[in-house]
Amino acid sequence: MTRPTLLVIAASLMLAPAAAFAATATTAPATAATAKATATAATALPASNPFAQASSLPFNYPPFDKVKDADYAPAFTAGMAAHLAEINAIANNPKAATFDNTIVAMERSGQLLSRVRTVFSVMSGSNTNETIQGLERELAPKMAAHSDAIMLNDKLFKRIDTLYAKRDKLGLDAESKRLLERYNTDFVRAGAKLSAADKEKLRAYNGQLAALSTKFAQNVLKELNASAVVVDTREELDGLSRAAIEVAAGLAKKRGLDGKYVIALVNTTGQAPLSLLTNRALRERIMAASQARGSRGGEFDNTQEVLELAKLRAERAALMGYPNYAAYSLEDQTAQNTTAVNALLGELAKPAVVNARREADDIQKVIDAQKGGFKVGAADWAFYSDKVRAERYNFDETQLKPYFEMNSVLTKGVFFAAGKLYGLSFKQRTDLPVYTADMLVYDVFNEDGTQLAIFTLDPYARSNKRGGAWANAYVGQSGLLNRKPVIANNLNIPKPEAGQPTLMTFDEVNTMFHEFGHALHGMFSNVKYPRFAGTSVPRDFVEYPSQVNEMWALWPEVLQNYAKHYQTGAAIPAELLAKVTAADNFNQGYKTTEYLASALLDQRWHQLTPAQIPTDVLAFEKAALADAGVDFAPAPPRYRTTYFSHAFAGGYSAGYYAYLWSEKLDADTVEWFKENGGLTRKNGDWFRTKLLSRGGSADALDIYRSFRGRDAKIEPLLERRGLNGK
C-alpha cells in the first residue's frame, strides 16, 4: 500500500495513509472562534462547489459525479485558508491551553481541505489527466508550505509543549494521552524546535522535495506508457492466450498501430507476459524496456530527480540533527534505527542469493536439456521457472487461471473468508457515484446487521492510473467526529476485452487478499481521534495485517469455495489444489532476492550524507548491489532506482524494508491462527478486538503483544522464506 500523493497536512492527518473525507453534518468546530474563522475563510468558495459542504451521501461518501476538474483549485485555496484560520484561532486563543481547546480543536480542524484533498488524491492516483497533473505540480509546494505554516507555528507549539510537560497531571485517558504525546512528537520532528533561520531553510527544503517527488511520480507514469513494447506479428506472441493477444491488438489500435500489438508494462521490473512468451528475443526486449525506464534520457528521465531528492533529504536530515535521512525516518518506526534495519537485511541477503542461485541452476538444467545454448537471464527466469515448477509439481500458472475468475475470487474468496472469520456480510450497491464504470461498491455489515463501512474496489489497470496496488480511506473512522469508514482498494489487473472474463494469476489473487487486509484494518477501526484511525500506524507495522490476510487465499476451505472453473463451475481438482499448496514456497530465493535488492537500494540512497551523494545514479546502484551481495543479474531488483516510486515518490522512503519487517509479525501470527484452529469466529474476534480495531491508539508493538501474548519470533519467517538452512 502506498500513501496518497499529496502531503498530508496538520498533525491529525500527517501520518494517515488515508485521509478522512468529511465530518458528519452535526460535527462542529471546538470553539466559536474557530467556527467563525472557518466560515470567514471559506466564504470565497461558492455553494455550487461540491466541496463547499460535507457530502450528504451515506457515510459522507465522496460525490464523484459532481466533481469537475475546475472545482479543485478554488476548493484547495479556500480549504487552506479556512484551515489556517482555524489553526490561528487555536494558537492565538487568549485562554490557557487545555487539551480540548488545543489538541481536540486541531483534530476537528481542516475539514474543507480534507474533503478536496481526499478526492484529488484519489483522482491523481487512479484516474489522472493533464489538468490534474498540472494542478498536482502546482499544489505540491503550496501544500508543503501550508503544512509548514502549521507545524512551525511557534505559538501553537508552545501550547502543545505546555500541555505535554504536564501530561501526567491532566487526567487524560490512555488514547488522549497518546494523542498529546504524538502531537508533540510530530511537531518536534517537523522542526518546531529549530531556530528561525533554520525553519526558513526547512521550508525551502520541504517545498523543493514536494515538487521533485511529484515530478518523479508523474515521470514514472508517463514513462510506463511510453515504454510499452510494440510487436509486429502475431507469431511473436506465441504463448499468450487468445484473449491476451486481443488485448494487445486493442492497445495497438488505440495508438493508431492497426495490425500490430502492444505489450503494456507494469511498474515492477518483472512483467507478466515474460512467464508465457516463447520468443526469447521478445522477452529480452520487454525486460530491457522495463529496466531502462527513467534512465535513458529524454523527457521522462528520472536520474536528476533521484540525485536532487537524495541530496535534499540528506541536507534536511542534517538540519534536523540526524546523520542521514534514514536515521531521521526510522526513529519514528518500530525498527527505530538503521542498525536494526541493516542487520535484518544483511542477515537475509546471503542465504537469499544462495537460494536464488540454486534455483537458477535448476532453470539452467531445463534450458540445457532443450539445447537452448544460452545462460539464464532476467528475461528468462519467469518462463523457465514455470517449467521447473511444472516438472516438480506437475502444474503451471496456465492451469490455475481458469479457476481464478475475479468476481468469484472477490465474493467467494475474499468476502467469504471475512464472513467466516469476522461475521461480515457484503451487499453490492449501484446507486453511489463512481469515477470509473469498472468500480465496485459494497455496503459492509457486522454479524448483528449493523452497517460497519462502505468498501470500494477499482480493479483494473489504466494508462492514467499509477502502478501497483494500494488501499486508502475516503472517510476515516472517528468517534470524536461520529464517522464510519469508507475504504477503497485499488489493483492493476489487466482488463480483458469486452465480454471476456477476468482471469487472475495467483499473484493477483494474493494481492487482492493483501489489499483487503488493509481494508479490514480501516473498517474495523474503533478509535476516538482521527489521528489514530485505521492504518495510521508506523510504516513498518502497516503492512502486517494485510500480509496476515494473504494466508486465507490458500486456506483449503476458502480456496475450494472460490476456485471454480469460470466455464463449468467445477471446483479446482483436489490434486491441483494439493500441488498449489505444495508449491507455495517455490521460487522463494528469487522473490526474496529481488525484494531485498530494492530494500537495500532504498537504504543505501537514504543513508548517504549530503557530501556522499553520487553523480551517476546507475553506477551507484550497481556498486550498492554488489557491496550488499545481491548483484545477481537473473534476479534484478523488484524496482530499480529510477522507477522506485515507493522510495522517491511515495511514503516508503527509507521504509521499503517494512514489508519484510512486518512479515516477521505476519509469519508469527499465521502460526498463532494455525495453532488455534484457523478460520474461526473466535480467532477473528480476538484479532479484531486486540489488534485491528486499535489503529494507532497505542504503541504498535504493545498492540501486537496484547494480541499474541509475547514478542514475535523470527523462526516462522525464516522457515517461510526458506532461509533457515533446512
Side-chain angles (χ1 to χ4, degrees), residues 91-162:
N92 296 319
N93 189 339
K95 296 182 179 179
T98 67
F99 182 77
D100 285 339
N101 73 17
T102 302
I103 305 301
V104 175
M106 290 184 68
E107 283 290 277
R108 295 182 183 276
S109 70
Q111 294 302 312
L112 170 56
L113 183 56
S114 179
R115 290 196 288 271
V116 60
R117 191 197 66 82
T118 298
V119 176
F120 186 78
S121 294
V122 171
M123 293 297 103
S124 63
S126 300
N127 205 37
T128 192
N129 57 45
E130 290 185 1
T131 300
I132 289 175
Q133 289 178 336
L135 183 57
E136 190 177 22
R137 291 190 296 271
E138 178 185 332
L139 283 170
K142 291 182 179 179
M143 291 291 284
H146 178 74
S147 178
D148 286 340
I150 297 169
M151 307 304 286
L152 301 179
N153 184 313
D154 291 333
K155 290 183 179 180
L156 184 61
F157 178 63
K158 184 176 181 180
R159 294 177 72 87
I160 295 169
D161 200 38
T162 298

Side-chain angles (χ1 to χ4, degrees), residues 179-479:
L179 182 67
L180 173 56
E181 292 170 345
R182 285 308 312 176
Y183 263 87
N184 188 75
T185 298
D186 290 342
F187 271 71
V188 171
R189 286 178 53 77
K193 289 188 174 182
L194 293 177
S195 68
D198 283 346
K199 284 179 180 178
E200 285 307 307
K201 291 180 183 178
L202 183 63
R203 288 186 177 96
Y205 285 138
N206 290 343
Q208 293 174 72
L209 285 167
L212 280 167
S213 61
T214 298
K215 185 178 180 182
F216 184 99
Q218 292 187 358
N219 281 348
V220 168
L221 179 59
K222 292 173 181 177
E223 178 81 297
L224 197 63
N225 292 321
S227 299
V229 177
V230 180
V231 181
D232 292 329
T233 67
R234 190 182 185 96
E235 288 71 26
E236 293 174 90
L237 299 177
D238 179 58
L240 297 188
S241 67
R242 177 181 296 180
I245 293 173
E246 289 174 354
V247 169
L251 290 174
K253 189 172 183 179
K254 289 178 181 177
R255 295 178 179 228
L257 300 171
D258 288 21
K260 296 184 183 295
Y261 306 85
V262 168
I263 303 295
L265 301 184
V266 296
N267 198 40
T268 50
T269 296
Q271 304 293 325
L274 295 177
S275 66
L276 300 170
L277 290 165
T278 63
N279 187 311
R280 186 170 190 252
L282 179 56
R283 294 202 307 269
E284 289 184 318
R285 281 180 60 203
I286 293 172
M287 177 55 73
S290 179
Q291 292 204 61
R293 283 175 288 140
S295 63
R296 53 189 174 186
E299 184 181 357
F300 310 132
D301 188 286
N302 259 336
T303 52
Q304 190 59 37
E305 281 68 31
V306 167
L307 295 175
E308 291 181 28
L309 281 163
K311 189 171 190 297
L312 285 168
R313 285 174 177 169
E315 290 176 343
R316 185 185 185 279
L319 181 69
M320 298 289 291
Y322 295 85
N324 53 59
Y325 178 81
Y328 165 78
S329 178
L330 294 173
E331 182 187 60
D332 206 36
Q333 306 301 314
T334 64
Q336 296 188 335
N337 55 64
T338 57
T339 301
V341 173
N342 291 344
L344 175 69
L345 299 180
E347 179 183 358
L348 300 184
K350 183 177 180 179
V353 175
V354 168
N355 286 0
R357 291 185 182 277
R358 186 182 301 121
E359 292 164 1
D361 290 342
D362 292 338
I363 290 173
Q364 192 64 50
K365 291 175 184 176
V366 174
I367 293 173
D368 293 343
Q370 295 181 355
K371 297 183 173 20
F374 58 86
K375 190 174 181 179
V376 59
D380 306 309
W381 192 288
F383 183 78
Y384 285 98
S385 67
D386 270 4
K387 292 187 179 301
V388 173
R389 177 167 51 192
E391 180 180 297
R392 186 172 298 170
Y393 302 104
N394 196 26
F395 90 97
D396 58 42
E397 283 285 353
T398 60
Q399 293 175 270
L400 293 176
K401 290 185 73 172
Y403 295 96
F404 295 154
E405 188 275 322
M406 186 181 74
N407 187 62
S408 180
V409 174
L410 177 65
T411 60
K412 298 179 181 179
V414 173
F415 289 173
F416 173 79
K420 286 286 186 179
L421 196 59
Y422 304 110
L424 300 184
S425 60
F426 302 81
K427 182 179 180 181
Q428 187 173 358
R429 59 188 305 171
T430 57
D431 59 317
L432 292 177
V434 294
Y435 56 81
T436 173
D438 297 320
M439 192 169 151
L440 303 171
V441 183
Y442 295 87
D443 284 334
V444 185
F445 299 94
N446 289 304
E447 190 173 42
D448 63 5
T450 59
Q451 187 167 354
L452 173 69
I454 294 175
F455 170 73
T456 77
L457 174 66
D458 179 357
Y460 293 123
R462 292 184 295 276
S463 61
N464 65 343
K465 183 180 183 182
R466 65 180 172 87
W470 66 96
N472 53 4
Y474 299 155
V475 182
Q477 179 271 333
S478 168

Side-chain angles (χ1 to χ4, degrees), residues 475-611:
V475 182
Q477 179 271 333
S478 168
L480 177 71
L481 302 180
N482 191 28
R483 291 193 307 222
K484 289 189 175 183
V486 179
I487 309 295
N489 277 179
N490 289 266
L491 308 177
N492 261 285
I493 301 169
K495 186 177 180 179
E497 289 291 284
Q500 297 298 312
T502 302
L503 303 181
M504 303 168 67
T505 66
F506 183 69
D507 279 347
E508 290 166 343
V509 170
N510 201 60
T511 298
M512 182 178 279
F513 275 86
H514 175 101
E515 295 305 328
F516 194 72
H518 287 305
L520 289 170
H521 204 179
M523 291 190 292
F524 285 151
S525 178
N526 186 23
V527 299
K528 181 176 182 179
Y529 300 110
R531 172 66 175 76
F532 296 142
T535 55
S536 299
V537 297
R539 187 174 47 210
D540 55 7
F541 191 83
V542 74
E543 296 298 334
Y544 153 57
S546 56
Q547 289 171 325
V548 170
N549 205 59
E550 294 175 24
M551 72 177 289
W552 309 118
L554 278 177
W555 196 259
E557 182 182 359
V558 179
L559 185 59
Q560 290 169 353
N561 196 63
Y562 75 81
K564 305 287 180 68
H565 197 283
Y566 77 100
Q567 290 174 315
T568 67
I572 188 170
E575 60 272 20
L576 182 56
L577 174 59
K579 293 171 185 175
V580 172
T581 303
D584 188 31
N585 288 332
F586 177 74
N587 213 28
Q588 279 296 327
Y590 175 91
K591 293 177 181 177
T592 305
T593 299
E594 68 156 4
Y595 166 76
L596 283 174
S598 290
L600 285 159
L601 275 179
D602 176 35
Q603 288 301 314
R604 292 303 172 99
W605 279 109
H606 290 111
Q607 290 184 28
L608 296 172
T609 67

